[in-house]
Amino acid sequence: MSRKLMSLLILGVMILSLGLAGCGQKNATKTESKVLKVGAEMTFPPFEFQEEGSKEYVGFDMDLARAIGKQMGYEVQIQNVGFDGLIPALEAGNIDIIVSGMSITEERTKKVAFSKPYYKSGLSIVVKADNATIKSFKDLEGKNIAVQIGTTGAEEAKKIKDAKVREYNSNSEAYMELKAGGVDAVVNDLPVNEYYLAKSGDKNAKLLGDIMNAEEYGMAMTKKNTELTEKVNAALDELKKNGEYDKIHMKWFGKKAQ
Ligand code: ARG
């Protein structure tokens, strides 16, 4: 084969592959669907949960996530992920955003980027209705406490002197343990405790007045995806302005946000 023919051949192959690469790129942009993969742990009513006998994911966070997706022009796909598996799932790229009543903490801020705060919360205690000894966080010293794994409630309970903290995968299990008498108290987010007492029909439990830690919920994304964080913040602003946020708040809490 002559040198000239050889170089012509090489040139031909180069042009061909360039063309193909171009095609590939074109196709990629064409099929790029705008999907927002949302992760949440579903035993946290009224923020995210499943109504008995239903597979649908409902709650304040779920409505808000869907409204944000719609505002951004994204199709929202929701996944149920264990609470302690949410940040790893985000880091692995299995989900794009966590909308799961996740409190903005210094520790988490080291790993993820949070949206603007979207809900004010705090921790509180549920005990048996006939419990006369536990009235505050201070009284939890040396007691058995049930919490959900990976939560701020778990973290705070572990700081209490001599407390034996039992960590459950779901909140339902923590409340069940209290009902069964296996623990003295459940430490969980105030609105979730309130909802439990209002809706569960558990007449043998009560909520204590002592509330700890003003916490704020944020939606968590990877630090790399700054574009998504900006879009989510803009959508959140818009939903607050156009009354959609208030509507969703009203639906789940029976009142407007203060
Ligand atoms: N706010 C608490 C935290 O960030 C509890 C959140 C639990 N959320 C859930 N979907 N189970 O740790």
Side-chain angles (χ1 to χ4, degrees):
M1 202 186 292
S2 77
R3 260 223 167 122
K4 205 166 170 195
L5 195 68
M6 189 66 177
S7 37
L8 261 172
L9 248 170
I10 292 173
L11 197 74
V13 167
M14 272 168 72
I15 289 170
L16 218 113
S17 53
L18 262 176
L20 280 178
C23 274
Q25 241 167 37
K26 223 199 229 145
N27 283 341
T29 32
K30 221 196 243 161
T31 54
E32 187 198 357
S33 52
K34 286 178 158 193
V35 172
L36 187 65
K37 285 183 277 170
V38 176
E41 192 282 327
M42 301 291 172
T43 66
F44 204 63
F47 294 91
E48 43 268 337
F49 63 109
Q50 288 167 293
E51 220 78 71
E52 231 183 282
S54 163
K55 287 204 158 46
E56 206 197 330
Y57 301 135
V58 296
F60 176 79
D61 282 347
M62 302 296 93
D63 281 351
L64 194 58
R66 289 187 184 107
I68 282 178
K70 195 171 165 202
Q71 180 68 33
M72 288 169 25
Y74 281 56
E75 180 203 327
V76 172
Q77 286 173 3
I78 299 174
Q79 285 176 44
N80 187 0
V81 181
F83 193 75
D84 59 343
L86 282 168
I87 291 181
L90 186 68
E91 285 168 340
N94 297 337
I95 52 173
D96 304 311
I97 185 166
I98 300 169
V99 187
S100 192
M102 186 173 270
S103 304
I104 302 172
T105 67
E106 214 183 298
E107 198 56 35
R108 289 172 182 155
T109 306
K110 285 180 198 153
K111 292 191 194 156
V112 299
F114 278 104
S115 69
K116 296 180 178 181
Y118 68 89
Y119 188 90
K120 280 192 176 56
S121 191
L123 294 173
S124 69
I125 308 164
V126 173
V127 294
K128 283 244 169 131
D130 59 3
N131 186 316
T133 51
I134 303 173
K135 292 192 175 67
S136 65
F137 278 94
K138 182 94 183 74
D139 300 329
L140 289 176
E141 287 183 5
K143 296 287 193 273
N144 294 312
I145 308 171
V147 295
Q148 185 178 30
I149 197 163
T151 60
T152 48
E155 222 170 279
E156 285 307 320
K158 285 183 203 164
K159 288 184 196 158
I160 297 167
K161 202 169 149 258
D162 299 327
K164 285 175 273 315
V165 181
R166 296 212 207 139
E167 299 179 86
Y168 295 91
N169 284 322
S170 71
N171 285 300
S172 340
E173 288 167 286
Y175 291 123
M176 237 141 62
E177 198 55 32
L178 177 71
K179 213 171 174 176
V183 291
D184 303 297
V186 170
V187 172
N188 199 0
D189 292 35
L190 176 65
V192 178
N193 277 341
E194 282 174 335
Y195 194 88
Y196 170 73
L197 287 175
K199 298 283 156 124
S200 71
D202 186 354
K203 297 268 173 297
N204 297 313
K206 67 178 175 189
L207 178 69
L208 300 184
D210 195 14
I211 293 158
M212 183 194 255
N213 275 8
E215 293 184 4
E216 288 186 308
Y217 296 164
M219 305 182 182
M221 290 150 277
T222 63
K223 291 196 188 219
K224 272 182 278 167
N225 204 345
T226 49
E227 195 192 323
L228 183 62
T229 310
E230 278 164 27
K231 276 188 189 166
V232 165
N233 279 335
L236 204 52
D237 282 347
E238 183 52 33
L239 297 178
K240 285 205 166 172
K241 246 202 325 225
N242 71 15
E244 189 65 24
Y245 178 93
D246 280 342
K247 224 165 91 186
I248 298 171
H249 196 282
M250 188 65 102
K251 172 175 169 191
W252 292 104
F253 301 101
K255 58 179 186 224
K256 273 195 184 181
Q258 297 102 343

